[in-house]
Amino acid sequence: MSKGQCLDGFKCKYLILLAQDKLLAHISELESVAQTFGFKLNIKQKAKISPTTGKTDFTKWIILQEIAEENVLKLMSRSVCAMSAFELWGSGSDFSLLKQSILEYPLEQKRDCFKETQSFAIRVKGIGKKMSSEIQRERIDLLEDVLPFQGKVDLVNPSGEFYLVEDYSNRVQGQPPKEPDAILFGRLLCNGQRSLIERYSLKKRKFIGNTSMDVMLSILMTNLGGINKNSVVCDPFVGTGSLLIPAAHFGGYVIGGDINYNIIHARGRSSRKGAGWRQKDETIRHTLMEYGLRSQYLDVLLCDAACHAWNTNGKELFDAIITDPPYGIREACQKVGSKKQNPVVPELEPGLTHFPEQTEYHLEDVFKDLLNFAAQSLVAGGRLVYWLPVYRADYSPKVIPTHSLLKLMYNHEQILNSHSSRRLIVMEKLTKENVTETAQAVISSSVFSGHNSFRDKYFSAHNGNETR
């Protein structure tokens, strides 16, 4: 039996180790990637109740059932939340049960790995606890009678790499338990895409801004958006283009818009300390060229999200819209407009550029306009992925903007501090059946009403003037 295949009639199980992250969007990402590739997941999730909070804790690993190995590899080719994937050979709450489980795993499924021609390495990993070299050797010795490897040990480049995983993550009063909650053993298939975090690191990128999105979150948003090869992806608040880079990496054609003239045209001072004035190559196009992604670049427009440049005339243009609108904290919420009652735009002499006056753009209008834009321009099944700032004391499901053409898929909280957070919202475009053409976005709460509604509460609480 060759590696990479399951016996006829036998259903392999696969262990996925998940990266530790407070956003807790791991399952959502895996489900979205599976949908992108056209299959569904059957997840056996290890959920635990925290002894301190009484809430369900984040699981550090999951088991996938009834899935082809090729689909596991597809998941891992995209996931930034999954660290590693294994063909699961056995599991148990102690070594006796683990060894029995390994023995019950079909020998024919393991036989090729035991051949004399196959070098191997066994590694021991503790979740929530460091495992000393001495303990690791003891653990490996315990498995010797159920793993009849005939090949040579090769710790550098083995033909087969195997992991013994012990889960001590269920801490009590900050200390790991004396005995693991679970012990698992499996053959390593591959690792996830955590290496992309370093590849596209903001520290190495020339063109960044005050609000450039964290690389891991940018990749996560791309996966939640269902972006794949030849997808057309738009960011209407594009800034320095952080969200477009992973979209282009995974084969999407990217386009964006922003109201900030200096950002779009590489003017003004750089956001990097001590860098001085921006240079001509500090643009999104040059950034994509730097990463070898120039072929995925469509354009970036100087435009107003309140009156966007993409007049679709009823045509659905985009497969995904991924964006991070300004909240009024690091960047002001503005749109083209005037405080004058009857503003007049003067006629321009040839060669001159007009810089339109800007006025405040209320958060309530920002998110309503965004949802209306998505409902108009997304293809059916296309996704809108965006961040929603929330003053935590005000949060309820009513603060989430809704639209009859957009279905809420996921809602994950990223806590910023004791009083504020932001929600990663994922919505999917429905078909227009039984929906009127005049359908508009709605927010069933007044928390975003008025200019700087979130900013005022954020800094009031931050300065110790919080009122409840």
Side-chain angles (χ1 to χ4, degrees):
M1 187 70 195
S2 62
K3 291 184 289 184
Q5 298 178 350
C6 284
L7 293 168
D8 291 340
F10 179 75
K11 295 180 180 179
C12 295
K13 296 180 181 179
Y14 297 93
L15 169 67
I16 309 293
L17 294 187
L18 303 174
Q20 298 189 31
D21 176 66
K22 294 181 179 179
L23 189 60
L24 307 185
H26 304 72
I27 306 302
S28 301
E29 187 210 33
L30 292 173
E31 289 177 343
S32 297
V33 172
Q35 181 174 327
T36 300
F37 285 115
F39 61 90
K40 294 184 178 180
L41 296 181
N42 182 357
I43 299 176
K44 180 181 179 183
Q45 186 174 359
K46 182 177 180 292
K48 299 176 297 184
I49 303 300
S50 168
T52 54
T53 65
K55 297 181 179 179
T56 301
D57 274 353
F58 160 61
T59 179
K60 306 300 189 296
W61 51 270
I62 58 173
I63 294 175
L64 300 182
Q65 305 178 111
E66 300 178 353
I67 182 173
E69 187 166 307
E70 62 178 331
N71 286 339
V72 177
L73 297 176
K74 288 178 180 179
L75 283 178
M76 301 303 288
S77 73
R78 291 291 301 264
S79 177
V80 73
C81 292
M83 295 177 63
S84 304
F86 307 83
E87 178 192 350
L88 185 63
W89 282 17
S91 62
S93 56
D94 57 40
F95 269 88
S96 175
L97 294 174
L98 171 66
K99 292 168 72 172
Q100 182 62 34
S101 180
I102 294 174
L103 287 172
E104 292 173 355
Y105 199 73
L107 177 60
E108 197 64 30
Q109 187 68 31
K110 303 176 289 187
R111 190 183 302 278
D112 283 355
C113 299
F114 295 150
K115 289 181 177 180
E116 188 175 353
T117 56
Q118 300 295 305
S119 60
F120 71 97
I122 299 178
R123 311 191 194 279
V124 180
K125 179 178 178 60
I127 298 177
K129 181 180 179 179
K130 291 184 178 181
M131 312 289 284
S132 67
S133 298
E134 182 180 357
I135 291 178
Q136 291 183 41
R137 287 192 294 269
E138 290 177 357
R139 297 293 197 265
I140 293 172
D141 290 342
L142 288 173
L143 298 176
E144 186 175 3
D145 57 337
V146 295
L147 296 173
F149 290 108
Q150 301 298 314
K152 294 181 179 180
V153 174
D154 184 347
L155 300 180
V156 179
N157 187 30
S159 304
E161 194 169 355
F162 301 84
Y163 274 75
L164 176 69
V165 180
E166 298 187 24
D167 184 3
Y168 294 89
S169 59
N170 194 14
R171 289 175 171 260
V172 179
Q173 296 181 346
Q175 297 298 319
K178 293 183 179 180
E179 300 297 331
D181 294 330
I183 311 174
L184 308 105
F185 184 85
R187 175 178 65 89
L188 177 66
L189 296 181
C190 62
N191 295 316
Q193 299 304 306
R194 303 287 291 180
S195 61
L196 294 180
I197 298 174
E198 178 63 21
R199 176 175 176 178
Y200 294 119
S201 171
L202 293 176
K203 294 179 180 179
K204 301 177 181 178
R205 196 180 302 169
K206 185 175 183 179
F207 182 40
I208 62 170
N210 294 328
T211 59
S212 293
M213 181 62 66
D214 173 83
V215 176
M216 181 269 177
L217 295 178
S218 298
I219 301 170
L220 173 63
M221 292 175 72
T222 295
N223 286 334
L224 291 173
I227 295 165
N228 208 352
K229 186 177 181 180
N230 297 327
S231 296
V232 180
V233 185
C234 177
D235 181 354
F237 300 93
V238 71
T240 58
S242 294
L243 296 178
L244 299 186
I245 293 171
H249 172 86
F250 290 120
Y253 291 102
V254 297
I255 190 169
D258 205 284
I259 198 173
N260 190 323
Y261 182 92
N262 288 342
I263 286 287
I264 296 297
H265 292 287
R267 303 290 180 87
R269 287 190 173 275
S270 171
S271 297
R272 194 179 295 280
K273 184 178 180 181
W277 297 95
R278 286 194 180 94
Q279 299 177 15
K280 290 183 178 180
D281 62 351
E282 291 189 65
T283 65
I284 295 172
R285 183 169 63 88
H286 280 90
T287 299
L288 291 171
M289 288 175 62
E290 177 185 346
Y291 291 128
L293 301 171
R294 173 64 179 85
S295 61
Q296 305 307 118
Y297 176 81
L298 295 179
D299 206 351
V300 173
L301 310 179
L302 178 66
C303 62
D304 181 2
C307 185
H308 62 81
W310 298 281
N311 186 354
T312 63
N313 291 321
K315 295 182 180 180
E316 299 168 329
L317 298 180
F318 305 121
D319 298 290
I321 297 172
I322 54 174
T323 193
D324 181 29
Y327 321 144
I329 304 299
R330 294 184 180 179
E331 294 290 343
C333 300
Q334 293 183 317
K335 63 180 179 179
V336 173
S338 175
K339 296 180 181 179
K340 300 176 182 178
Q341 289 186 351
N342 298 302
V344 177
V345 179
E347 292 187 10
L348 296 179
E349 296 181 10
L352 294 181
T353 301
H354 172 63
F355 294 88
E357 186 178 350
Q358 296 181 8
T359 187
E360 62 269 9
Y361 192 11
H362 297 175
L363 275 181
E364 181 177 25
D365 295 328
V366 170
F367 294 112
K368 285 183 177 179
D369 289 346
L370 177 61
L371 265 66
N372 288 332
F373 173 53
Q376 176 189 22
S377 60
L378 280 175
V379 300
R383 286 190 170 185
L384 166 66
V385 184
Y386 71 97
W387 290 97
L388 181 77
V390 175
Y391 187 68
R392 299 184 73 194
D394 289 341
Y395 178 74
S396 76
K398 291 183 178 181
V399 309
I400 306 298
T402 61
H403 194 290
S404 57
L405 273 173
L406 299 171
K407 177 183 178 182
L408 179 64
M409 302 298 293
Y410 303 111
N411 173 5
H412 293 286
E413 182 185 28
Q414 183 188 40
I415 298 175
L416 303 176
N417 49 45
S418 61
H419 54 78
S420 299
S421 66
R422 59 180 181 176
R423 297 258 168 182
L424 183 55
I425 306 298
V426 182
M427 310 184 86
E428 189 168 289
K429 172 77 173 289
L430 303 174
T431 61
K432 292 185 177 181
E433 296 176 3
N434 302 321
V435 178
T436 63
E437 291 293 329
T438 57
Q440 295 290 310
V442 175
I443 302 178
S444 301
S445 171
S446 61
V447 296
F448 296 121
S449 299
H451 187 51
N452 286 334
S453 55
F454 176 71
R455 175 188 172 88
D456 291 344
K457 289 183 179 180
Y458 180 91
F459 284 111
S460 176
H462 195 69
N463 294 328
N465 300 320
E466 182 176 0
T467 58
R468 294 184 181 274

